[in-house]
Amino acid sequence: VFASLLFFSFSFALADQEVQLTIKDNRFIPEEIKVKADTKIKLIIKNEDKTAEEFESAALRQEKIIRGGGSITLNIRPLKPGTYEFMGEFHPETARGRLIVE
């Protein structure tokens, strides 16, 4: 079991695409990200605000708090073409975005 977990973790370290996302003034910059279908994605989110934000996406099956001034890395499984919405749970009226898979 440990060997399979290690292989799984290592396989995600070899993401096909790396994407940067910034939180500033309670907004995601850019609000729209385009990536290729059927590839592993390493999503790096940097929070430039002083307050925490929670990245949440039911479509991507991701939910993670990013402290103010901090950053996180999310490994996203290969996705089929489509639009995958995400938001900042603490500021849902302004912190919205979408991942467009082509």
Side-chain angles (χ1 to χ4, degrees), residues 61-81:
R61 295 185 230 162
Q62 297 283 342
E63 184 174 2
K64 190 80 170 178
I65 292 179
I66 307 120
R67 65 180 171 77
S71 65
I72 62 164
T73 299
L74 298 174
N75 293 304
I76 300 175
R77 70 196 185 288
L79 299 167
K80 298 295 177 202

Side-chain angles (χ1 to χ4, degrees), residues 41-54:
I41 302 159
K42 181 186 218 180
L43 179 59
I44 300 168
I45 306 170
K46 182 177 180 187
N47 185 355
E48 293 185 356
D49 288 340
K50 293 183 183 200
T51 58
E53 182 58 89
E54 182 174 3

Side-chain angles (χ1 to χ4, degrees), residues 7-24:
F7 175 75
F8 179 75
S9 297
F10 181 71
S11 68
F12 261 122
L14 300 175
D16 297 319
Q17 294 183 76
E18 185 173 299
V19 180
Q20 304 276 335
L21 185 62
T22 301
I23 300 168
K24 186 171 177 148

